Amino acid sequence: MMKVQRKSSLSARARHSAAAVCALALLGSANIARASDPLPSDPELEAVTLSAPKPSWVFVERGFVVPGNAIYDTDTGKMLGMVEASTLSDLSIDPAGKAYYVSESIWTKGWRGTRQDMITVYDSATLKLKNEIAIPGRILIGGRKFNFVLADEGKTAYVYNLDPASSVNVVDLVKGKFVKKIELAGCASLMPVTGVGFSALCSDGSLATVKVAAAKPEITRSAPFFSATNDPIFDNFGYDGAKQQAVFLTYTGQVFTAKLGATPTISEPFSIQAAAGVSPADTKPLDVHWYPGARQGLAYHLGTGHAYVLMHTGEYWTHKEPGTEIWDLDVAAKKVVRRIPLEHPASAIAITQEANPKLVLSTERGEDGPSALLILDAKTGEQKFMLENSGGGVMRTLEP
Amino acid sequence: MMKVQRKSSLSARARHSAAAVCALALLGSANIARASDPLPSDPELEAVTLSAPKPSWVFVERGFVVPGNAIYDTDTGKMLGMVEASTLSDLSIDPAGKAYYVSESIWTKGWRGTRQDMITVYDSATLKLKNEIAIPGRILIGGRKFNFVLADEGKTAYVYNLDPASSVNVVDLVKGKFVKKIELAGCASLMPVTGVGFSALCSDGSLATVKVAAAKPEITRSAPFFSATNDPIFDNFGYDGAKQQAVFLTYTGQVFTAKLGATPTISEPFSIQAAAGVSPADTKPLDVHWYPGARQGLAYHLGTGHAYVLMHTGEYWTHKEPGTEIWDLDVAAKKVVRRIPLEHPASAIAITQEANPKLVLSTERGEDGPSALLILDAKTGEQKFMLENSGGGVMRTLEP
Amino acid sequence: MKTFNPDAMGEKLLRRFAGGTSRRGILARLGLALVAAPVFPVLPVSRASAAKPDRSPEAKTTFARNAQSKDDTKCDYWRYCAIDGSLCSCCGGAVNRCPPGAEHSPVSWVGTCINPDDGRAYLIAYRDCCGKAYCAKCNCDGTDRETQLYVPQLNNDVIWCFGTTSMEYHCSTAVLVGTA
Amino acid sequence: MKTFNPDAMGEKLLRRFAGGTSRRGILARLGLALVAAPVFPVLPVSRASAAKPDRSPEAKTTFARNAQSKDDTKCDYWRYCAIDGSLCSCCGGAVNRCPPGAEHSPVSWVGTCINPDDGRAYLIAYRDCCGKAYCAKCNCDGTDRETQLYVPQLNNDVIWCFGTTSMEYHCSTAVLVGTA
């Protein structure tokens, strides 16, 4: 740990700059010595190393055909590196900052051969492979934030599986060992619950809570509070591990907050459209309203309790449509405090958990291609960077 | 063989059409019986099967990030299927029409693990995996026609390797076994030579010929006839296995013909530009000329001895530039008989070996994206199909 | 008036693709250990899921109002109201048939689409063709009545290649099962 | 006037990257069996290759005439006259340094590029960074004096990841070796 921390105290950018300064200095002295001297040979350099993950970083799943999680620093707009990953894998960030975990499925011969499911562990400083933890299986879907989640301060991982029975694999990350499989019929999207295990959303409209430690895991379900087929909750919702709270958003724009625990409590919903002073949406196809949507349509800032939601106009059942506006919702106040129009529609939104947060958007079309990364100041909506050819799928940021 | 031939006598398109007719018939009779009857359920259908490869088909390497060889019928403009393949693999077509061979390298864990080099054998009717023939290694490059070639009527395969020593792996396709490795220092791009083995182009400007059967393979070299560093021969050249002839084209547009054999003979070169009545090109960067170029810039029609060459204007060292014109060169007559201007620049060209051949071009920009497949009548230059989102790397056609 | 009933849909699908084989048989084919309930986990939707929303032909979605029945290589073909991925009909297969070398998944997600010719709602099984690399042609994403991961048989992002030799996703078909 | 001499380039590269280790050492590191001649196969160019064309600064290519020396994340940066692939400087690395987790190939293809500031020709080693998936950012393809597969050390399409733990291609660097 100490070693990693020391390495990480000098960030990649700083090293890079230091090297550049050094090279310039060499060049400078060479020029002083004799103006006509040729450029010196480059020194042999080790690969760049990184600091521990920072709140200003965003991890972008690059997509289905070019996998991997590209790391960008929202302070500089630069790509810092990439956490290697297979297609349809999921990333989690070690809260201690020492490792990145990738839950993935790899066949021994590309598209054929023997399937190997594992959690692959990378050192956060070198991004080198540290370990592979075999697991019995996992869902192949990608683009979801809650299929691979860490609990117990990063000591435990829950990996969702669908084969096509649904279950959760419990993994001890300290020992690097699969622990057990918990059947979880009809539920998905895992929220760690401190001292209990995890909760999940279910097809009967309830929230299931699973006590993991019990010899035979106990599953309890809340009363149904939403319709999984008529007005579903987006499975990329907002989750605050520290406060043990989740913010759920439905296709029509109903917002629920859930206080997690052994017996969770779920609030009455309110309409995000009503919170913005416009007409609440419904499920009738022929009506046109503002609707939430996109693949990752909600970014939740834990410090302020604001949810930033991608919204578009249209009819019902357009829940994958990219957003043309960001609505900044103060969840506790039930008030949309700002609407940020977007020049290019966005299919995913994330937020850095900084005191002055930045929004990161995967937009549908930049100047140069179909997918750019847009970095905005969350408070002002001001554009800080537009990174061409850098967009992708789900984006993750470091949480406190 | 008989079974495959019988299956293949009913092509995929014919089966598809037959099924469609059948479905319509069912629907028709239902309509007659009672107009208000709902549509019948679909029958359970096996996967489509294919006929043996036809001269009208083209096999398109899809590219670096989305591998596989897409099969298109140039008669219909339809995709027929795909021969599975890893990144940087090479395809060869069994001249007997029974199999497709893919020379490929696969790691056991995606980008890591144990490397496995093999020739993967697919049944040409079902496109199902038939066999894997392990080989000791192969070059990782892709986009080349002469790194994996079949000889002895499809009984033998030669696989080029660079590790970084260069060598050729000889494989017995009948027995499904690697036979031996032949060191081949400083040469590459393999042309099967009947009853001898193969020839290859060398960095000293010679043509090497390798007698494969000998206990210690004998390598002889022709006198140097081109400059490998100053005016290189494009390694995607023209080759006629039946006539044992190759057509070589250099960066400046010099055309050589080689009569292959134990002692090959190489013609005096002529300039393709002079053959078109324009000024011959040279190697001086500041001069502007018509130059040949692109990744697969020459398509050779065996029946007529015409070479179709992608040409562009520019300076020297622009040999990867896509072509803006196709020059139809009668090689024996040393005469460019037609110049076909292209609306979109093309990075690769292939030709079907039909009596009325069709040119297939991978163009840089279609309506919808960066890479479309253009199918032209080779005689008239008339556009037959423009297939969006279908272009790629090297293209191969069936040879007689 | 027809309403949406995932359980009935599931029963039809079972009849359609399980054929004569028992649920147990399918599970065995899928290589699953038979553990506890639910025995057939493709149908996790509880009968308790109460809401039966109006999904009649009268409540047509944007997709349904603009759908056509002539060209099954286009995203607006009526059966594709909830498809996600490459159309097998563009990849050497057909609307209900895998391209050469690909394998039809025995289970699938489903949709309810309205045929523009007769105005009826039909149950469509979006059976993935598996065991080949992504076809990447004619990519469509219909979202009529498409829901989230906790109702996987109505979610079109899941790779539905269960019980196939390889789980590599190639393309998707839209098999007509019957009236919804 | 400097002329192009692949053999001399090769010697420099050997000195540059082999360092104190012998040729034998490098070969061992590459995991190659030591078989017959040529002992170091990175240099298959025979000294017999006669032509010494004019590659002096006076005969500048289009690339060289338009090259800049300020921004190494752009394709027209002077060192990239014969690069092919993603620039490591756009991927978390630098012009001469691998991004985190990638491994520098000890051998490479080479180019001779002209620095616009001093007009000199320099030998550039395009050392691939390996062991990670394709970076796919800032893709460039310089072709000055780039030749074909039978001169592999002057061909920029070959995956130059020899002697690395994994041969997966991530991005390419442009390491300044010395004057050409």
Side-chain angles (χ1 to χ4, degrees), chain A residues 190-208:
Chain A
L190 311 177
M191 295 152 259
V193 179
T194 308
V196 175
F198 56 86
S199 281
L201 290 170
C202 303
S203 59
D204 64 358
S206 71
L207 185 73

Side-chain angles (χ1 to χ4, degrees), chain A residues 101-168:
Chain A
Y101 299 102
V102 176
S103 166
E104 59 186 342
S105 307
I106 306 172
W107 277 258
T108 51
K109 289 179 181 167
W111 60 271
R112 65 188 195 270
T114 306
R115 179 169 169 174
Q116 308 160 100
D117 293 286
M118 66 185 80
I119 295 174
T120 310
V121 187
Y122 293 95
D123 181 271
S124 66
T126 63
L127 297 188
K128 293 262 185 203
L129 182 71
K130 269 171 74 175
N131 196 15
E132 293 173 355
I133 308 171
I135 56 174
R138 51 184 290 281
I139 188 173
L140 296 184
I141 182 166
R144 294 299 191 285
K145 286 163 66 185
F146 298 102
N147 284 334
F148 176 47
V149 297
L150 305 188
D152 305 334
E153 297 170 320
K155 296 192 192 76
T156 305
Y158 300 123
V159 185
Y160 187 67
N161 190 16
L162 184 82
D163 63 1
S166 56
S167 60
V168 174

Side-chain angles (χ1 to χ4, degrees), chain C residues 76-95:
Chain C
D76 64 357
Y77 184 69
W78 70 278
R79 292 191 190 188
Y80 299 148
C81 77
I83 207 165
D84 183 9
S86 286
L87 303 180
C88 292
S89 50
C90 294
C91 304
V95 64

Side-chain angles (χ1 to χ4, degrees), chain C residues 24-105:
Chain C
R24 194 168 283 266
I26 281 270
L27 277 181
R29 191 180 160 202
L30 294 176
L32 293 173
L34 273 170
V35 279
V39 175
F40 196 72
V42 173
L43 300 167
V45 177
S46 159
R47 287 189 184 271
S49 75
K52 302 289 186 201
D54 179 6
R55 289 199 179 78
S56 65
E58 288 71 30
K60 277 188 182 176
T61 62
T62 313
F63 183 96
R65 295 200 306 277
N66 294 289
Q68 49 85 18
S69 62
K70 306 292 174 244
D71 185 353
D72 62 18
T73 66
K74 296 283 184 298
C75 289
D76 64 357
Y77 184 69
W78 70 278
R79 292 191 190 188
Y80 299 148
C81 77
I83 207 165
D84 183 9
S86 286
L87 303 180
C88 292
S89 50
C90 294
C91 304
V95 64
N96 54 7
R97 197 174 178 191
C98 288
E103 203 179 343
H104 234 162
S105 174

Side-chain angles (χ1 to χ4, degrees), chain A residues 239-303:
Chain A
Y239 168 78
D240 183 334
K243 295 201 191 110
Q244 289 286 288
Q245 187 177 293
V247 178
F248 299 133
L249 176 69
T250 74
Y251 285 11
T252 60
Q254 294 293 310
V255 179
F256 296 86
T257 51
K259 179 71 191 164
L260 304 173
T263 310
T265 53
I266 295 141
S267 73
E268 283 301 306
F270 66 90
S271 155
I272 189 172
Q273 295 89 349
V278 305
S279 66
D282 55 42
T283 63
K284 293 199 196 84
L286 296 171
D287 284 357
V288 174
H289 294 281
W290 279 100
Y291 282 98
R295 296 192 166 265
Q296 180 182 16
L298 182 148
Y300 187 51
H301 188 250
L302 310 181

Side-chain angles (χ1 to χ4, degrees), chain A residues 372-390:
Chain A
L373 212 62
L374 186 69
I375 300 172
L376 307 180
D377 183 294
K379 278 193 184 144
T380 65
E382 178 205 348
Q383 179 175 321
K384 297 181 73 81
F385 299 102
M386 165 72 112
L387 309 176
E388 300 295 345
N389 192 26
S390 308

